[in-house]
Amino acid sequence: MSPLVLKSFTATSAIGRGRDATLASLNAQRSGLAPCRFETVSLDCCVGEVAGVDQVALPRELAEFECRNNRLAWLALGEDGFREAVAESAARHGRRRVGVFLGTSTSGILETELAYRRRDPASGALPQ
């Protein structure tokens, strides 16, 4: 198996947006957990929320994919010059030779909560 070359990376989570903020939180042993403040959700618990995700707007060409989860992905991809690094690599090597690997956990939990409230009363089906 050939080694995979990572030319650029970033990290965004409840402990920080970008590499520097993430490293600072890790070094300070700072948690990203805070009391849940989601709109109409009244659940007495703590969640790890990324600061500023609710102020992010997707570009017009991605408007059909509007949701909190995709706003978070867009925000994260913009940290540490990552989007620009991907564009430069694609221009240099061709789009077919560049990969972006993205992971998430429960960043869509608010959308899930709201969808459960709109389930079909007869079948229990979730909205599209």
Side-chain angles (χ1 to χ4, degrees), residues 53-106:
V53 73
D54 292 322
Q55 287 73 48
V56 172
L58 291 178
R60 186 178 309 150
E61 64 271 17
L62 299 176
E64 72 179 288
F65 303 107
E66 170 57 39
C67 70
R68 195 167 197 274
N69 188 57
N70 291 340
R71 287 194 313 270
L72 175 56
W74 187 253
L75 173 99
L77 291 171
E79 297 298 330
D80 299 309
F82 188 77
R83 262 195 300 263
E84 294 81 4
V86 170
E88 288 170 16
S89 290
R92 181 175 180 178
H93 303 289
R95 293 175 62 167
R96 293 180 176 260
R97 297 193 62 210
V98 176
V100 174
F101 302 89
L102 177 69
T104 184
S105 62
T106 57

Side-chain angles (χ1 to χ4, degrees), residues 5-64:
V5 177
L6 296 179
K7 298 290 286 180
S8 182
F9 77 95
T10 186
T12 292
S13 71
I15 64 170
R17 290 174 40 182
R19 295 186 309 257
D20 291 342
T22 298
L23 183 58
S25 288
L26 291 172
N27 285 332
Q29 298 182 350
R30 210 173 18 247
S31 167
L33 296 179
C36 182
R37 296 182 313 259
F38 289 148
E39 309 166 346
T40 59
V41 177
S42 58
L43 185 60
D44 187 21
C45 67
C46 290
V47 297
E49 186 175 0
V50 175
V53 73
D54 292 322
Q55 287 73 48
V56 172
L58 291 178
R60 186 178 309 150
E61 64 271 17
L62 299 176
E64 72 179 288

Side-chain angles (χ1 to χ4, degrees), residues 110-121 123-128:
L110 176 59
E111 294 297 322
T112 302
E113 170 74 23
L114 296 173
Y116 269 102
R117 294 178 190 182
R118 296 189 315 267
R119 287 182 307 208
D120 181 277
S123 69
L126 293 170
Q128 284 190 350

